């Protein structure tokens, strides 16, 4: 008896025959599952969101059956790669500008852009007591090096530059700056002592234990443009059901709870 291309031989015994039909049914179900192959979703992720998306990925994969392939970098570099043909399906940016430009260029799907998080900027040092709760150390200048992400390609770096200019200390401190390629490298500069302090994402400090909390100043939002982080479906992933499912998952209550717990603000 042919079923979905497989041959199941009937048995003369009624019980065996019933068992054969049961096996045939299970075979059909399994063939259906094989036919619905697991979709791999290639996601370009802004460096500041690294830890959070790694927390979200296993839950999404468990719920959906799709697999995520995550690539991390500065927002500007990832956007350049997409413009140059990198085969990403989804872009999780650290700003809202790059996704909008990709839509305009026809490299992202119109009407799929949305804000998944608002980031917060923090001046941090692993050294307890070095950074005061008002950021006055930026005015006193009692440090050798200050790390920020490259303002040309990293939104958190651009925000840090805005803060320094608004405080009127940019001309005095510019020569002491150490630039990270992205916010992840900036955090590394500070955590390893290559810079005494630096502007990092609040989310990067959420996983620190008590021994490495150091000192910090949570930068008032009024000192820089909002760090509005947008997601968008890229043209390469337009037909990828897993890509659309992942964007839907990011807007779910479960995902929003994880994002908020990591120090981001989530849109209402």
């Amino acid at each position: 008896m042919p079923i979905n291309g497989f041959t199941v031989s009937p048995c003369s015994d009624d019980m065996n025959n019933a068992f054969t039909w049961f096996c045939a049914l299970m075979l059909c179900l399994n063939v259906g599952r094989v036919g619905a192959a697991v979709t791999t979703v290639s996601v370009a992720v802004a460096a500041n969101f690294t830890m959070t998306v790694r927390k979200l990925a296993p839950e999404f994969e468990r719920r959906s059956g799709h697999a995520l392939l995550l690539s991390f970098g500065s927002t500007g570099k990832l956007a350049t790669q997409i413009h140059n043909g990198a085969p990403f399906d989804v872009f999780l940016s650290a700003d809202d500008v790059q996704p909008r430009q990709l839509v305009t260029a026809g490299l992202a799907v119109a009407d799929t852009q949305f804000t998944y998080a608002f980031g917060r900027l923090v001046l941090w040092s692993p050294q307890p007591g070095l950074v005061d709760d008002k950021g006055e150390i930026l005015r006193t200048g009692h440090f050798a090096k200050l790390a920020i992400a490259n303002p040309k390609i990293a939104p958190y770096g651009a925000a840090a530059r805005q803060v320094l200019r608004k405080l009127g200390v940019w001309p005095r401190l510019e020569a002491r700056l150490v630039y990270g390629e992205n916010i992840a490298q900036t955090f590394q500069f500070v955590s390893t002592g290559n810079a005494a302090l630096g502007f990092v994402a609040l989310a990067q400090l959420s996983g620190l234990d008590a021994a490495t909390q150091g000192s910090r100043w949570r930068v008032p939002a009024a000192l820089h443009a909002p760090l509005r982080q947008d997601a968008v479906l890229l043209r390469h992933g337009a037909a990828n059901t897993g890509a659309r499912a992942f964007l839907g998952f990011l807007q779910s209550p479960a995902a929003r709870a994880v994002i908020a717990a990591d120090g981001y603000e989530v849109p209402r």
Side-chain angles (χ1 to χ4, degrees), residues 48-236:
N48 71 282
F49 204 61
T50 298
M51 292 187 296
T52 307
V53 78
R54 282 179 172 160
K55 294 176 184 177
L56 294 171
E59 181 64 13
F60 168 73
E61 292 176 339
R62 184 189 68 81
R63 290 186 180 200
S64 70
H66 300 293
L68 294 181
L69 179 62
L70 305 173
S71 300
F72 304 97
S74 67
T75 288
K77 283 206 167 184
L78 291 173
T80 298
Q81 290 173 16
I82 294 167
H83 279 284
N84 289 335
F88 295 121
D89 300 311
V90 170
F91 183 27
L92 302 186
S93 177
D95 67 4
D96 59 337
V97 176
Q98 295 293 347
R100 188 163 55 248
Q101 290 180 349
L102 289 169
V103 170
T104 301
L107 297 174
V109 180
D111 301 324
T112 64
Q113 181 176 347
F114 66 91
T115 302
Y116 64 91
F118 287 94
R120 293 304 305 267
L121 189 67
V122 176
L123 180 65
W124 172 71
S125 172
Q127 180 181 333
L130 181 64
V131 178
D132 60 281
D133 61 4
K134 296 183 186 296
E136 285 299 317
I137 189 172
L138 295 173
R139 299 183 192 277
T140 62
H142 294 157
F143 57 86
K145 295 293 182 181
L146 169 66
I148 71 171
N150 186 343
K152 295 179 180 179
I153 57 176
Y156 279 79
R161 182 172 60 185
Q162 290 173 6
V163 172
L164 294 174
R165 285 177 170 170
K166 204 153 195 177
L167 294 176
V169 297
W170 175 265
R172 189 167 74 253
L173 297 182
E174 187 176 6
R176 298 199 224 169
L177 297 180
V178 177
Y179 294 99
E181 182 175 303
N182 51 55
I183 200 69
Q185 189 177 61
T186 305
F187 180 85
Q188 185 180 20
F189 285 161
V190 182
S191 63
T192 58
N194 288 305
L197 66 166
F199 285 98
V200 300
L202 176 61
Q204 292 174 296
L205 305 182
S206 63
L208 297 181
D209 56 35
T212 55
Q213 284 289 333
S215 53
R216 68 179 75 176
W217 171 49
R218 186 163 173 167
V219 179
L223 291 179
H224 61 82
L227 285 163
R228 176 175 177 167
Q229 303 195 192
D230 277 16
V232 71
L233 178 67
L234 299 173
R235 185 177 63 190
H236 183 271

Side-chain angles (χ1 to χ4, degrees), residues 30-51:
N30 286 332
V31 168
R33 285 180 183 170
V34 172
V38 172
T39 299
T40 298
V41 185
S42 181
V43 187
V45 185
N48 71 282
F49 204 61
T50 298
M51 292 187 296

